[in-house]
């Protein structure tokens, strides 16, 4: 799955330095891949990209790229599920921006702690193999409602 988008605004603000335009577009690209292998294995690879640009009264001054990877497998006729997931492999989810108001300029740098390794184990008890639907189930009730 590939998603591509551009956000563009036509915004001008009065600041202490005069009128400033906040009209540089911001581009987003998200790419999601899921590979399904035989024997109930899944491999997922996600990529996100955001360009520099303007959002409201903030100049975003850094391009952000991030990658996530996960692998999962089911065992015992899908009763046991194991997933290993790594997020933010490039450790690049940072944000640097300059916000301008009438008499204030704010320079902000955020380094998000999003790099992680996660192991998920899930066991499903009493998996239903099939469900009893009965014969003529509810026939009497359907006849009553006619």
């Amino acid at each position: 799955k590939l998603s591509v988008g551009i956000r563009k605004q036509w915004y001008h603000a009065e600041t202490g330095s005069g009128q400033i335009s906040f009209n540089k577009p911001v581009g987003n690209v998200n790419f999601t891949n899921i590979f399904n292998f035989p024997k109930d294995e899944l491999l997922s690879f996600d990529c996100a990209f955001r360009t520099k640009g303007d959002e409201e009264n903030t100049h975003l001054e850094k391009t952000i790229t991030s990658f996530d990877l996960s692998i999962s497998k089911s065992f015992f006729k899908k009763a046991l599920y194991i997933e290993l997931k790594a997020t933010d492999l490039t450790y690049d989810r940072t944000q640097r921006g300059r916000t301008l108001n009438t008499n204030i300029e704010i320079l902000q740098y955020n380094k998000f702690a999003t790099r992680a390794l996660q192991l998920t184990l899930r066991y499903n008890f009493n998996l239903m193999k099939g469900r009893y639907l009965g014969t003529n189930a509810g026939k009497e009730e359907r006849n009553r409602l006619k």
Side-chain angles (χ1 to χ4, degrees):
K1 178 179 157 186
L2 176 66
S3 299
V4 178
I6 294 176
R7 290 187 319 259
K8 167 102 170 97
Q9 63 184 11
W10 288 267
Y11 178 61
H12 303 280
E14 198 62 43
T15 68
S17 304
Q19 190 177 48
I20 295 182
S21 297
F22 294 93
N23 57 8
K24 185 175 178 190
V26 176
N28 287 301
V29 178
N30 292 308
F31 189 50
T32 303
N33 291 292
I34 298 176
F35 301 96
N36 191 358
F37 296 103
K39 300 189 181 186
D40 299 319
E41 296 142 347
L42 286 175
L43 176 69
S44 173
F45 177 72
D46 302 331
C47 175
F49 176 77
R50 191 203 70 204
T51 66
K52 300 175 186 179
D54 295 328
E55 284 184 350
E56 297 176 359
N57 62 333
T58 302
H59 293 296
L60 300 174
E61 298 177 344
K62 185 178 183 314
T63 298
I64 296 175
T65 307
S66 66
F67 298 98
D68 300 337
L69 180 68
S70 72
I71 187 162
S72 62
K73 177 149 177 65
S74 296
F75 298 95
F76 309 119
K77 297 181 183 177
K78 297 187 180 184
L80 177 64
Y81 172 82
I82 299 174
E83 179 184 37
L84 182 63
K85 184 175 186 178
T87 57
D88 196 10
L89 296 173
T90 57
Y91 203 48
D92 191 39
R93 287 187 185 148
T94 58
Q95 185 172 329
R96 188 170 53 228
R98 186 169 56 123
T99 303
L100 299 167
N101 292 316
T102 305
N103 294 315
I104 299 172
E105 180 175 338
I106 301 169
L107 299 173
Q108 187 170 355
Y109 177 77
N110 298 322
K111 180 75 171 169
F112 301 107
T114 54
R115 179 179 262 185
L117 186 62
Q118 176 181 337
L119 177 65
T120 302
L121 298 171
R122 184 170 54 226
Y123 189 79
N124 297 310
F125 294 94
N126 300 325
L127 284 175
M128 292 178 55
K129 304 292 184 228
R131 174 174 90 162
Y132 175 71
L133 299 176
T135 54
N136 294 325
K139 179 180 179 183
E140 194 174 299
E141 199 60 29
R142 285 193 306 267
N143 288 336
R144 186 183 70 79
L145 295 171
K146 285 184 182 180

